[in-house]
Amino acid sequence: ARRWREALKNFQRSVQLEPNDPEARLDLGVAYRHSGDRSSALEQYEALKHLDPARADLLFRAISESQ
């Protein structure tokens, strides 16, 4: 769990620097999912839908599998 928290900080920084980078949004969403923050993962999914629908689908499947 600690690794995901560390990764989360890095991915948050990446999204701050490049908010329109779909890979950064996907990584951040996956990190939120693994850290148990489904709500924040879904926020990344919503942002990603407009940037890269295919990656958004990947993230949504990952979030759905964690239920």
Side-chain angles (χ1 to χ4, degrees), residues 15 31 33 37 39:
V15 168
R33 177 225 179 245
D37 188 347
S39 164

Side-chain angles (χ1 to χ4, degrees), residues 2 7 11 18-19 22 28 33 37-38 41-42 46 49 53 56 65:
R2 189 168 58 127
F11 295 141
E18 295 289 337
L28 181 56
R33 177 225 179 245
D37 188 347
R38 187 172 192 274
L42 286 171
E46 289 296 327
K49 281 196 309 187
E65 290 171 0

Side-chain angles (χ1 to χ4, degrees), residues 3-63:
R3 283 187 179 172
W4 282 114
R5 283 191 297 267
E6 291 173 18
L8 198 57
K9 290 178 188 175
N10 291 329
F11 295 141
Q12 287 169 330
R13 190 172 17 247
S14 293
V15 168
Q16 284 177 336
L17 294 172
E18 295 289 337
N20 294 322
D21 180 355
E23 191 66 30
R25 293 258 180 207
L26 176 62
D27 290 341
L28 181 56
V30 169
Y32 278 131
R33 177 225 179 245
H34 282 288
S35 66
D37 188 347
R38 187 172 192 274
S39 164
S40 293
L42 286 171
E43 287 177 17
Q44 295 309 308
Y45 162 73
E46 289 296 327
L48 195 51
K49 281 196 309 187
H50 304 288
L51 298 173
D52 188 331
R55 281 192 174 109
D57 287 343
L58 289 173
L59 179 56
F60 188 78
R61 281 190 294 237
I63 295 167

